[in-house]
Amino acid sequence: MRSRKFLKAEQAPLAWDAPGLLAGVDEAGRGPLAGPVVAAAVILDDQHPIRGLADSKTLTALQRERLHDQIMAQALCCSIAQASVEEIDTHNILQATMLAMRRAVEGLRLKPTKVLVDGNRLPQLDVLAEAIVKGDARVKAISAASILAKVHRDRLCEQLHQEFPHYGFAGHKGYGTPEHLEALLQHGACVHHRRSFSPVAAALARMAPTVPVVQVESPLPAVSVQAQVVAIELRPAP
Protein backbone atom coordinates (compact mmCIF):
# COMPACT_ATOMS: atom_id res chain seq x y z
CA MET A 1 0.00 0.00 0.00
CA ARG A 2 1.31 3.44 -1.01
CA SER A 3 2.24 5.72 1.87
CA ARG A 4 -0.15 8.62 2.54
CA LYS A 5 2.65 11.10 2.35
CA PHE A 6 2.71 10.66 -1.44
CA LEU A 7 -0.97 11.59 -1.80
CA LYS A 8 -0.42 15.27 -1.01
CA ALA A 9 1.49 17.26 -3.58
CA GLU A 10 3.92 19.89 -2.44
CA GLN A 11 4.79 22.97 -4.48
CA ALA A 12 7.84 25.11 -4.01
CA PRO A 13 7.32 28.89 -4.21
CA LEU A 14 8.27 30.35 -7.55
CA ALA A 15 9.98 33.68 -8.02
CA TRP A 16 8.51 35.19 -11.18
CA ASP A 17 10.52 38.43 -11.06
CA ALA A 18 13.83 38.34 -12.84
CA PRO A 19 16.82 39.14 -10.60
CA GLY A 20 18.27 42.59 -10.97
CA LEU A 21 18.12 46.14 -9.71
CA LEU A 22 14.95 47.26 -7.93
CA ALA A 23 13.86 50.91 -7.93
CA GLY A 24 11.37 52.56 -5.60
CA VAL A 25 9.31 55.54 -6.76
CA ASP A 26 7.17 58.02 -4.85
CA GLU A 27 5.92 61.60 -5.19
CA ALA A 28 5.37 64.68 -3.07
CA GLY A 29 3.07 67.61 -3.67
CA ARG A 30 -0.15 66.31 -5.19
CA GLY A 31 -2.40 68.17 -2.75
CA PRO A 32 -0.89 71.68 -2.45
CA LEU A 33 -2.33 74.70 -4.24
CA ALA A 34 1.04 75.89 -5.53
CA GLY A 35 4.37 74.66 -6.81
CA PRO A 36 5.36 71.66 -8.93
CA VAL A 37 4.69 68.02 -8.11
CA VAL A 38 7.96 66.21 -7.39
CA ALA A 39 8.83 62.54 -7.86
CA ALA A 40 11.92 60.56 -6.89
CA ALA A 41 13.30 57.18 -7.91
CA VAL A 42 15.88 55.33 -5.81
CA ILE A 43 17.89 52.13 -6.23
CA LEU A 44 19.29 51.18 -2.82
CA ASP A 45 22.56 49.34 -2.24
CA ASP A 46 21.80 46.09 -0.39
CA GLN A 47 25.42 45.97 0.76
CA HIS A 48 25.05 49.31 2.54
CA PRO A 49 21.60 49.40 4.19
CA ILE A 50 20.27 52.66 5.58
CA ARG A 51 18.67 52.50 9.01
CA GLY A 52 15.52 54.46 9.80
CA LEU A 53 13.89 54.50 6.36
CA ALA A 54 10.14 55.03 6.68
CA ASP A 55 7.23 56.89 5.14
CA SER A 56 8.39 60.51 4.99
CA LYS A 57 5.12 61.70 6.55
CA THR A 58 5.96 59.84 9.78
CA LEU A 59 9.39 61.48 10.14
CA THR A 60 10.37 64.85 11.54
CA ALA A 61 11.96 67.46 9.30
CA LEU A 62 15.36 66.85 10.90
CA GLN A 63 15.05 63.08 10.39
CA ARG A 64 14.11 63.58 6.75
CA GLU A 65 17.09 65.89 6.18
CA ARG A 66 19.49 63.41 7.76
CA LEU A 67 18.12 60.46 5.80
CA HIS A 68 18.06 62.53 2.60
CA ASP A 69 21.82 63.05 2.84
CA GLN A 70 22.42 59.36 3.63
CA ILE A 71 20.32 58.21 0.68
CA MET A 72 22.10 60.57 -1.70
CA ALA A 73 25.48 59.31 -0.44
CA GLN A 74 24.82 55.56 -0.10
CA ALA A 75 22.21 54.57 -2.71
CA LEU A 76 23.41 53.06 -5.96
CA CYS A 77 21.64 55.85 -7.81
CA CYS A 78 18.87 58.40 -7.31
CA SER A 79 16.83 60.64 -9.56
CA ILE A 80 14.52 63.53 -8.72
CA ALA A 81 12.16 65.03 -11.29
CA GLN A 82 9.08 67.22 -11.37
CA ALA A 83 6.10 68.37 -13.40
CA SER A 84 5.53 72.10 -13.54
CA VAL A 85 2.49 74.13 -12.50
CA GLU A 86 1.74 74.69 -16.18
CA GLU A 87 1.75 70.93 -16.80
CA ILE A 88 -0.50 70.38 -13.78
CA ASP A 89 -3.01 72.96 -15.04
CA THR A 90 -2.85 71.59 -18.59
CA HIS A 91 -3.02 67.84 -17.96
CA ASN A 92 -4.51 67.60 -14.39
CA ILE A 93 -2.62 66.65 -11.24
CA LEU A 94 -2.84 62.87 -11.74
CA GLN A 95 -1.33 62.93 -15.22
CA ALA A 96 1.30 65.44 -14.11
CA THR A 97 2.24 63.12 -11.22
CA MET A 98 2.62 60.18 -13.60
CA LEU A 99 4.77 62.38 -15.84
CA ALA A 100 7.06 63.35 -12.94
CA MET A 101 7.40 59.69 -11.92
CA ARG A 102 8.28 58.63 -15.44
CA ARG A 103 10.91 61.36 -15.64
CA ALA A 104 12.39 60.25 -12.32
CA VAL A 105 12.74 56.64 -13.51
CA GLU A 106 14.17 57.71 -16.85
CA GLY A 107 16.68 59.89 -15.02
CA LEU A 108 18.26 56.97 -13.14
CA ARG A 109 21.90 56.37 -14.08
CA LEU A 110 21.31 52.61 -13.84
CA LYS A 111 18.31 50.95 -15.46
CA PRO A 112 16.27 48.89 -12.98
CA THR A 113 14.88 45.46 -13.74
CA LYS A 114 11.69 46.32 -11.87
CA VAL A 115 10.09 49.50 -10.50
CA LEU A 116 7.89 49.59 -7.39
CA VAL A 117 5.59 52.60 -7.26
CA ASP A 118 3.71 53.86 -4.21
CA GLY A 119 -0.07 53.92 -4.70
CA ASN A 120 -2.46 52.16 -7.02
CA ARG A 121 -1.51 53.64 -10.40
CA LEU A 122 1.51 53.27 -12.63
CA PRO A 123 3.19 55.70 -15.02
CA GLN A 124 4.03 54.54 -18.51
CA LEU A 125 7.43 52.87 -18.27
CA ASP A 126 9.54 50.64 -20.48
CA VAL A 127 10.39 48.30 -17.58
CA LEU A 128 8.40 45.90 -15.40
CA ALA A 129 6.51 47.86 -12.73
CA GLU A 130 4.18 47.20 -9.81
CA ALA A 131 1.97 49.57 -7.82
CA ILE A 132 1.98 48.99 -4.05
CA VAL A 133 -0.62 50.66 -1.83
CA LYS A 134 1.11 52.20 1.21
CA GLY A 135 4.39 51.16 -0.34
CA ASP A 136 6.17 54.10 1.31
CA ALA A 137 5.72 52.29 4.64
CA ARG A 138 6.33 48.77 3.35
CA VAL A 139 9.21 48.95 0.85
CA LYS A 140 12.53 50.53 1.80
CA ALA A 141 13.29 51.79 -1.70
CA ILE A 142 9.90 53.53 -1.88
CA SER A 143 10.45 54.99 1.61
CA ALA A 144 13.75 56.41 0.38
CA ALA A 145 12.05 57.89 -2.68
CA SER A 146 9.35 59.47 -0.54
CA ILE A 147 12.02 61.14 1.63
CA LEU A 148 13.93 62.54 -1.35
CA ALA A 149 10.77 63.87 -2.98
CA LYS A 150 9.49 65.45 0.23
CA VAL A 151 12.76 67.14 1.16
CA HIS A 152 13.30 68.42 -2.38
CA ARG A 153 9.82 69.93 -2.56
CA ASP A 154 10.05 71.47 0.90
CA ARG A 155 13.27 73.18 -0.18
CA LEU A 156 11.52 74.49 -3.30
CA CYS A 157 8.77 75.95 -1.11
CA GLU A 158 11.37 77.73 1.00
CA GLN A 159 12.71 79.29 -2.20
CA LEU A 160 9.17 80.35 -3.15
CA HIS A 161 8.86 81.96 0.27
CA GLN A 162 11.91 84.10 -0.46
CA GLU A 163 10.31 85.18 -3.72
CA PHE A 164 6.77 85.70 -2.38
CA PRO A 165 6.98 86.01 1.43
CA HIS A 166 3.40 87.27 1.87
CA TYR A 167 1.97 83.81 1.06
CA GLY A 168 3.87 81.95 3.78
CA PHE A 169 5.09 79.07 1.59
CA ALA A 170 7.85 78.15 4.05
CA GLY A 171 5.24 77.28 6.66
CA HIS A 172 2.34 75.60 4.84
CA LYS A 173 4.40 74.29 1.87
CA GLY A 174 1.63 75.31 -0.53
CA TYR A 175 -1.23 73.45 1.16
CA GLY A 176 -4.63 75.09 1.50
CA THR A 177 -4.37 76.23 5.11
CA PRO A 178 -6.62 79.07 6.37
CA GLU A 179 -3.60 81.41 6.28
CA HIS A 180 -2.84 80.49 2.68
CA LEU A 181 -6.45 80.95 1.58
CA GLU A 182 -6.57 84.34 3.30
CA ALA A 183 -3.38 85.38 1.51
CA LEU A 184 -4.94 84.33 -1.79
CA LEU A 185 -7.94 86.58 -1.11
CA GLN A 186 -5.71 89.50 -0.19
CA HIS A 187 -3.03 89.22 -2.86
CA GLY A 188 -4.49 87.08 -5.64
CA ALA A 189 -2.49 84.25 -7.20
CA CYS A 190 1.18 84.36 -8.09
CA VAL A 191 2.80 82.56 -11.00
CA HIS A 192 3.35 79.46 -8.85
CA HIS A 193 -0.31 78.85 -7.98
CA ARG A 194 -2.26 76.05 -9.66
CA ARG A 195 -5.21 77.77 -11.29
CA SER A 196 -6.93 74.47 -12.04
CA PHE A 197 -7.36 73.87 -8.30
CA SER A 198 -10.75 75.06 -7.09
CA PRO A 199 -9.58 77.10 -4.03
CA VAL A 200 -7.28 79.14 -6.27
CA ALA A 201 -9.96 79.58 -8.94
CA ALA A 202 -12.51 80.57 -6.28
CA ALA A 203 -10.16 83.13 -4.74
CA LEU A 204 -9.50 84.67 -8.14
CA ALA A 205 -13.21 84.75 -8.93
CA ARG A 206 -13.94 86.61 -5.69
CA MET A 207 -11.27 89.20 -6.52
CA ALA A 208 -12.38 89.74 -10.11
CA PRO A 209 -14.24 93.10 -10.24
CA THR A 210 -16.96 93.63 -12.78
CA VAL A 211 -16.78 96.86 -14.80
CA PRO A 212 -20.10 98.82 -14.68
CA VAL A 213 -22.34 98.59 -17.71
CA VAL A 214 -21.73 101.48 -20.14
CA GLN A 215 -24.60 102.75 -22.27
CA VAL A 216 -23.45 103.88 -25.73
CA GLU A 217 -25.47 106.62 -27.45
CA SER A 218 -26.08 105.59 -31.01
CA PRO A 219 -28.92 105.50 -33.54
CA LEU A 220 -28.63 101.76 -33.18
CA PRO A 221 -30.11 99.94 -30.13
CA ALA A 222 -28.15 100.51 -26.92
CA VAL A 223 -25.24 98.16 -26.42
CA SER A 224 -24.00 97.13 -22.95
CA VAL A 225 -20.30 96.46 -22.55
CA GLN A 226 -18.88 94.35 -19.68
CA ALA A 227 -15.36 93.28 -18.91
CA GLN A 228 -14.01 91.02 -16.21
CA VAL A 229 -10.54 90.49 -14.83
CA VAL A 230 -9.72 86.80 -15.08
CA ALA A 231 -6.52 86.56 -13.05
CA ILE A 232 -4.05 88.75 -11.24
CA GLU A 233 -0.32 88.13 -11.50
CA LEU A 234 2.03 89.39 -8.77
CA ARG A 235 5.67 90.24 -9.24
CA PRO A 236 8.25 89.11 -6.67
CA ALA A 237 8.66 91.31 -3.61
CA PRO A 238 11.77 93.53 -3.77
Side-chain angles (χ1 to χ4, degrees):
M1 182 176 179
R2 178 176 290 183
S3 172
R4 289 182 178 273
K5 68 179 181 180
F6 293 107
L7 299 179
K8 183 181 291 186
E10 295 183 1
Q11 182 173 343
L14 298 176
W16 295 105
D17 293 342
L21 298 177
L22 184 71
V25 178
D26 201 2
E27 54 76 27
R30 286 186 63 172
L33 308 180
V37 60
V38 175
V42 178
I43 299 178
L44 293 174
D45 185 353
D46 293 337
Q47 302 302 315
H48 298 88
I50 300 173
R51 297 182 60 183
L53 292 176
D55 176 5
S56 62
K57 296 185 291 295
T58 67
L59 302 171
T60 66
L62 288 176
Q63 288 173 324
R64 287 194 296 267
E65 289 284 347
R66 177 181 61 81
L67 287 167
H68 170 277
D69 294 345
Q70 280 190 268
I71 295 164
M72 296 296 290
Q74 294 180 224
L76 288 179
C77 60
C78 307
S79 172
I80 301 174
Q82 63 188 46
S84 68
V85 170
E86 292 77 12
E87 289 171 323
I88 292 171
D89 286 339
T90 299
H91 303 296
N92 74 46
I93 184 60
L94 174 61
Q95 296 305 318
T97 301
M98 296 297 106
L99 179 60
M101 287 183 169
R102 189 183 76 196
R103 288 169 175 168
V105 174
E106 291 175 347
L108 288 169
R109 178 177 56 85
L110 303 173
K111 185 164 184 173
T113 302
K114 185 176 182 180
V115 174
L116 301 180
V117 180
D118 182 55
N120 58 4
R121 294 176 180 271
L122 291 172
Q124 292 185 348
L125 301 171
D126 62 354
V127 296
L128 181 66
E130 179 182 353
I132 301 180
V133 176
K134 297 183 179 179
D136 48 6
R138 299 167 55 191
V139 179
K140 296 300 183 184
I142 298 179
S143 298
S146 76
I147 292 168
L148 292 192
K150 172 65 174 170
V151 171
H152 184 82
R153 192 177 190 284
D154 283 355
R155 291 176 178 178
L156 286 177
C157 287
E158 290 170 2
Q159 294 176 14
L160 297 188
H161 183 81
Q162 297 299 317
E163 190 178 1
F164 295 98
H166 41 278
Y167 290 107
F169 287 123
H172 54 64
K173 302 299 188 293
Y175 283 92
T177 63
E179 294 78 13
H180 191 186
L181 295 177
E182 180 62 28
L184 273 171
L185 290 175
Q186 290 185 12
H187 305 291
C190 72
V191 294
H192 302 293
H193 279 101
R194 303 172 181 178
R195 284 161 171 72
S196 58
F197 278 42
S198 57
V200 178
L204 291 173
R206 290 183 186 180
M207 291 192 66
T210 301
V211 177
V213 174
V214 179
Q215 298 294 334
V216 181
E217 293 186 3
S218 169
L220 297 176
V223 177
S224 63
V225 179
Q226 284 189 322
Q228 192 175 48
V229 177
V230 177
I232 299 175
E233 299 287 350
L234 295 179
R235 295 184 179 275

